[in-house]
Amino acid sequence: MKQIQAVFDAPPGHWVGDGFPVRSLFSYGQGAESLSPFLLLDHAGPHRFEPTRHTRGVGPHPHRGFETVTLVYQGALEHSDSAGHGGEIGENDVQWMTAGAGIMHEEYHAPAFSESGGTLEMAQLWVNLPARDKSAPPAYQTLLDGEIPRVALEGDAGQLRVVAGRYGDRKGPARTFTPINVWDLRLVAGGDVRLEVPEGHTTLLVVLAGTVLVNGERLVRDDSVVSFERQGESLRLEANNDAKLLLLSGEPINEPVAGHGPFVMNHDSELRQAFADFQAGKFGDLRGA
């Protein structure tokens, strides 16, 4: 069994733009080596927005050197980028964006959602790219709910959606640069499940809602993250009430991490080059996308 290494408790919240009230549940500033290949996870909401004709969200901003994975639980988002990608994702859809060599991006509440108002809840995960792939062309994967395999957990404990990687014989639709599992879990009250996870992987359990007893020893509540030792091949979860979780596991990249704001590279010199390229307009222009 993978032993618990650390538990990160819920931090204070902050706003990203005017559309996303978030808590950053972990970030590479807490120890990039122990989190690799994962960099950051923001949980936005749940937050009730009143109807408006105003466009809420985050305007044009750059990224380089990693991927963003946005999971929508409630509400709807619309995005566009300088590589010509764009679209809308709604409840239980996932947006997987490869920033790679550099991209300009913007993300807003979808127009219909803004006009009707409602509850928004989402999570955004940052996944690092190895040095060999940090110059990959920008790309975008739309993973709709109907394309994501669902697995009923033993003992009627709940269900698991395989966004990336594998669970048993089910394979998730996301294409990844390194071996990664992203599992979206719902456990029912009283659910008791043992999950098999790869030996040697960094493994993180994100508790978005509910209360869960982990490995029979640690009670973990809303907006907390459990980090596990890489040794071992399983963990046990017992839900005290209905729970919403993310289970992330990935092969460590084992390379230096140099990050600042929207850029994550291997060395400070590459960060300086990223800022210079952005200021020179080399990430493209959303108006010409």
Side-chain angles (χ1 to χ4, degrees):
M1 182 172 285
K2 287 185 180 289
Q3 299 301 308
I4 295 172
Q5 182 179 58
V7 177
F8 310 138
D9 293 327
H14 63 280
W15 281 83
V16 175
D18 63 355
F20 305 105
V22 308
R23 289 181 170 186
S24 295
L25 302 190
F26 66 80
S27 75
Y28 58 91
Q30 297 167 257
E33 182 180 349
S34 64
L35 294 172
S36 179
F38 307 110
L39 294 167
L40 175 148
L41 188 132
D42 282 346
H43 182 206
H47 184 86
R48 172 78 186 181
F49 287 91
E50 295 302 317
T52 183
R53 293 185 179 275
H54 169 68
T55 301
R56 295 188 181 107
V58 181
H61 57 281
H63 292 295
R64 174 180 277 183
F66 62 100
E67 301 186 285
T68 65
V69 182
T70 303
L71 302 96
V72 177
Y73 295 105
Q74 299 180 76
L77 304 177
E78 184 176 67
H79 98 112
S80 62
D81 62 43
S82 56
H85 308 119
E88 183 174 313
I89 54 173
E91 187 172 333
N92 292 322
D93 296 338
V94 178
Q95 172 200 103
W96 196 296
M97 185 183 76
T98 303
I103 199 168
M104 294 294 296
H105 183 249
E106 61 184 4
E107 194 161 40
Y108 299 102
H109 295 187
F113 174 73
S114 293
E115 291 180 12
S116 66
T119 299
L120 177 74
E121 183 182 11
M122 53 167 276
Q124 184 173 90
L125 170 70
W126 289 15
V127 179
N128 203 7
L129 290 171
R132 66 175 184 270
D133 296 314
K134 285 189 179 292
S135 59
Y140 173 68
Q141 302 173 65
T142 302
L143 311 176
L144 299 178
D145 181 32
E147 302 168 346
I148 300 173
R150 295 174 182 262
V151 180
L153 298 172
E154 291 186 8
D156 295 324
Q159 71 168 13
L160 179 154
R161 295 197 311 153
V162 189
V163 176
R166 289 184 176 275
Y167 183 83
D169 62 355
R170 307 301 297 277
K171 185 177 185 301
R175 301 182 302 275
T176 67
F177 286 81
T178 59
I180 291 172
N181 292 307
V182 177
W183 299 339
D184 176 22
L185 288 128
R186 302 290 196 283
L187 298 183
V188 300
D192 185 343
V193 64
R194 187 183 185 96
L195 300 175
E196 301 297 322
V197 286
E199 172 79 27
H201 269 207
T202 296
T203 302
L204 303 171
L205 176 71
V206 182
V207 181
L208 299 172
T211 306
V212 178
L213 181 65
V214 181
N215 287 352
E217 61 178 276
R218 185 67 181 264
L219 202 61
V220 185
R221 295 181 171 84
D222 297 9
D223 277 342
S224 297
V225 178
V226 183
S227 171
F228 296 88
E229 300 284 351
R230 289 174 179 157
Q231 295 75 30
E233 297 182 337
S234 67
L235 52 92
R236 184 182 176 190
L237 306 176
E238 301 169 73
N240 283 16
N241 43 37
D242 290 351
K244 177 163 48 186
L245 317 166
L246 281 172
L247 195 289
L248 312 173
S249 78
E251 184 178 278
I253 293 176
N254 294 326
E255 293 176 353
V257 173
H260 187 83
F263 306 131
V264 181
M265 306 302 292
N266 296 107
H267 304 287
D268 288 343
S269 60
E270 295 169 323
L271 280 181
R272 291 192 291 271
Q273 186 63 55
F275 276 102
D277 289 347
F278 165 58
Q279 291 166 353
K282 294 183 178 180
F283 287 15
D285 189 337
L286 278 162
R287 289 171 297 180

